[in-house]
């Protein structure tokens, strides 16, 4: 018998830590101007700094999958979160470019197991037919962290400075880790762990041998990256430098993106469970997301901050449907390979923002201020990834295929 109170308590503490993961990954957008001025950084350096979190996060995914399948989420998440707190403190205290990069790398390593560990726990504590709903809900609640990196971050930076803000988040991350250590159990009492392969590499080979995985991987690579490149780095400078909006106005636009993403994650998960389709909910979200990118390349561009707020809200809502890629991949493998499968697809999801931000930074380095040209890159890659995803087989909610 599953202890529902315990299940929802685990859901709560893992959602809290996922909030911090979301905050750290996109927290450079509103302080990019400050970092550029204080450290003398150009677009290439800002892109590398923003992407360092994602590079470190992504590189951790392949060993992380077998580790979660073998040893569970609690110890790994708590230990890694301590690394993130160290990285946040280093980022806040350093006076060097190398220190900034090292701090961002530690943040990425520290947050690497949070979402995958959460999904692993949800698969143990909640019914299979509800996985789309609860995974969508934790992703929805987790985007509160991205909201913190919008208007609230602008206020915190004005009050504490960007250094004080990151010191405060280092302390909060340690408190959240302590809550996880106290609350989380790997599985309900009496539940037997799923059998695992003798060699983690064998499980990974099985996952990487699935054609559906490689048809999903391109969208995983560029889908989240298309939004993270805006939310995590380039939207802030675009609005503040190119369009001369204030930090608060830029923060409000990003806040709308984050709020809409939170709602869209829950709606997408709920809808996919109801119509029993991951693929077509994701595909519909892709289509609207592509349309929302068109104003960013200079076609039908809004003339006010309110117009941009509306565009970013719609973009956030429908882009959030792509969180169902995790459920789609989960339902395409045997139960004992869930951790390996979702971390493998998460490698592409998390390395994508680093690569896309870097390409956009190179474009802006060669053509300073030409944000429309830079935004064309995520638009085109999102269209290609969406087209390839149409070739995947449906994975029905509640069972593996």
């Amino acid at each position: 018998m599953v202890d529902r109170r315990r299940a929802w308590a685990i859901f709560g503490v893992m959602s809290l830590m996922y909030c911090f993961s979301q905050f750290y990954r996109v927290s450079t957008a509103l302080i990019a101007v400050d970092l550029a001025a204080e450290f003398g950084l150009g677009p290439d350096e800002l892109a590398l700094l923003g992407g360092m979190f994602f590079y470190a996060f992504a590189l951790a995914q392949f060993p992380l999958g077998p580790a979660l399948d073998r040893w569970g989420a609690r110890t790994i998440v708590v230990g890694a979160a301590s690394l993130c707190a160290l990285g946040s403190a280093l980022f806040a205290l350093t006076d060097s470019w190398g220190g900034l990069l090292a701090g961002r790398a530690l943040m990425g390593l520290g947050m690497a197991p949070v979402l995958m560990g959460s999904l692993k726990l949800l698969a143990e504590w909640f019914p299979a037919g509800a996985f789309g709903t609860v995974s969508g809900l934790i992703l929805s609640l987790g985007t509160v962290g991205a909201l913190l990196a919008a208007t609230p971050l602008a206020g915190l930076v004005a009050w504490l400075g960007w250094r004080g803000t990151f010191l405060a988040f280092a302390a909060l991350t340690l408190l959240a880790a302590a809550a996880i250590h106290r609350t989380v159990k790997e599985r309900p009492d009496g539940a037997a762990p799923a059998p695992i392969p003798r060699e983690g590499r064998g499980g990974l080979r099985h996952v990487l041998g699935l054609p559906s995985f490689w048809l999903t991987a391109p969208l995983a690579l560029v889908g989240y990256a298309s939004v993270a490149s805006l939310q995590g780095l380039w939207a802030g400078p675009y609005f503040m430098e190119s369009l001369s909006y204030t930090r608060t106005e830029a923060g409000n636009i990003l806040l709308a993106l984050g709020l809409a993403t939170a709602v869209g994650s829950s709606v997408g998960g709920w809808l996919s469970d109801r119509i029993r389709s991951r693929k077509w909910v994701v595909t519909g979200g892709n289509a609207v997301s592509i349309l929302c990118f068109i104003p960013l390349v200079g076609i039908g561009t809004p003339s006010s901050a309110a117009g941009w707020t509306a565009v970013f809200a719609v973009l956030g809502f429908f882009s959030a449907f792509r969180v169902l890629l995790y459920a789609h991949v989960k339902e395409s493998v045997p139960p004992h390979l869930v951790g390996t499968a979702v971390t493998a697809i998460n490698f592409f999801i998390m390395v994508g923002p680093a690569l896309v931000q870097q390409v956009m930074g190179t474009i802006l380095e060669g053509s300073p201020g030409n944000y429309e040209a830079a935004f064309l890159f995520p638009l085109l890659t999102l269209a290609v990834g969406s087209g390839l995803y149409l070739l995947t087989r449906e994975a029905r909610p509640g069972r593996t295929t």
Side-chain angles (χ1 to χ4, degrees), residues 211-257:
S212 62
F213 180 89
W214 291 109
L215 290 171
T216 304
L219 179 60
L221 182 68
V222 301
Y224 173 59
S226 67
V227 176
S229 63
L230 302 175
Q231 191 177 32
L233 185 57
W234 293 121
Y238 173 58
F239 290 125
M240 294 164 66
E241 295 179 349
S242 184
L243 301 185
S244 300
Y245 292 162
T246 66
R247 190 194 303 270
T248 298
E249 287 174 323
N252 288 340
I253 296 170
L254 292 174
L255 182 66
L257 176 65

Side-chain angles (χ1 to χ4, degrees), residues 38 45 134-135 246 341 343:
E38 185 170 339
E45 289 86 0
V134 293
S135 62
T246 66
T343 50

